């Protein structure tokens, strides 16, 4: 039995050495493939970002047009801040934070109703509303948070 094992040992060592050389020769290819995969992911990330920005390009214009058409005459915005940064199952979600004033408190409700009925937006909530002095007159100060989702 011992002689049989010793006779098999040199051919096995030769085969192991041969496989090691083969693995060493292929190691460069494995490194190259990993590097290509890494570069491919970086390129795909850039393509995804371009597609994302392209999808949003006209969306903000549509939102501005909506507010231009529906804003009550004696209501105005002091601040309007967009944030589109959350990915969802179907696209991206975001919100608009609006701070403004109105001579007529019911105009705020009219604006909120128009926002809620528009397909561009998913919800609209009044965060704050109170009466303040503005140039010697009583006006309604308000803050709205408008949620939206853009399907990509």
């Amino acid at each position: 039995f011992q002689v049989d094992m010793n006779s098999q040992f040199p051919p096995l060592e030769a085969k192991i050495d041969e496989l090691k050389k083969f693995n060493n020769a292929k190691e460069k290819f494995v490194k190259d493939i990993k590097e290509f995969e890494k570069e491919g992911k970086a390129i795909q990330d850039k393509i995804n970002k371009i597609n994302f920005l392209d999808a949003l390009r006209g969306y903000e214009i549509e939102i501005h047009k909506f507010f231009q058409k529906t804003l009550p005459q004696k209501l105005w915005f002091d601040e309007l801040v967009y944030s589109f940064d959350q990915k969802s199952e179907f696209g991206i979600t975001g919100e608009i934070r609006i701070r403004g004033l109105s001579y007529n408190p019911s105009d705020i409700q009219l604006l909120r109703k128009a926002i809620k009925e528009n397909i561009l937006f998913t919800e609209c909530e009044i965060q704050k509303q109170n009466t303040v002095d503005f140039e010697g007159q009583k006006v309604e100060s308000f803050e709205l948070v408008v949620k939206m989702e853009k399907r990509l």
Side-chain angles (χ1 to χ4, degrees):
F1 182 73
Q2 184 73 17
V3 172
D4 190 37
M5 286 294 286
N6 287 339
S7 67
Q8 289 182 359
F9 193 68
L12 289 176
E13 278 188 337
K15 184 69 173 169
I16 289 171
D17 287 342
E18 182 183 326
L19 291 172
K20 282 182 182 178
K21 287 178 185 175
F22 178 81
N23 284 344
N24 289 340
K26 301 303 177 200
E27 203 171 296
K28 181 187 180 317
F29 294 116
V30 171
K31 283 183 183 178
D32 287 346
I33 289 170
K34 287 182 180 180
E35 187 63 33
F36 288 137
E37 287 173 347
K38 185 178 172 183
E39 289 174 7
K41 185 185 179 328
I43 290 169
Q44 188 60 51
D45 289 346
K46 289 177 183 179
I47 290 170
N48 291 344
K49 183 69 171 180
I50 289 168
N51 289 339
F52 172 78
L53 293 173
D54 186 50
L56 289 180
R57 183 175 27 189
Y59 198 63
E60 289 181 355
I61 294 169
E62 290 177 48
I63 291 169
H64 279 283
K65 284 181 182 178
F66 165 80
F67 283 122
Q68 225 173 9
K69 290 177 184 176
T70 58
L71 208 60
Q73 191 172 5
K74 294 188 177 190
L75 182 146
W76 66 96
F77 297 157
D78 290 329
E79 185 176 88
L80 186 135
V81 179
Y82 289 99
S83 65
F84 262 119
D85 53 5
Q86 302 293 320
K87 290 199 174 197
S88 72
E89 184 178 347
F90 303 108
I92 51 166
T93 61
E95 70 179 23
I96 303 172
R97 293 190 160 274
I98 301 169
R99 201 168 42 86
L101 298 170
S102 176
Y103 282 109
N104 187 349
S106 64
D107 283 350
I108 298 167
Q109 294 303 324
L110 288 173
L111 176 63
R112 183 171 179 253
K113 182 177 184 282
I115 290 170
K116 289 180 101 173
E117 292 174 351
N118 192 286
I119 195 167
L120 294 171
F121 312 108
T122 56
E123 63 183 86
C124 175
E125 298 302 325
I126 296 174
Q127 296 294 303
K128 183 176 149 186
Q129 182 175 346
N130 60 314
T131 304
V132 297
D133 284 326
F134 176 76
E135 295 181 355
Q137 294 186 5
K138 298 285 185 196
V139 297
E140 286 296 303
S141 172
F142 66 92
E143 290 181 22
L144 299 175
V145 174
V146 180
K147 302 283 184 181
M148 53 196 164
E149 182 170 11
K150 172 73 173 159
R151 293 187 179 266
L152 298 177

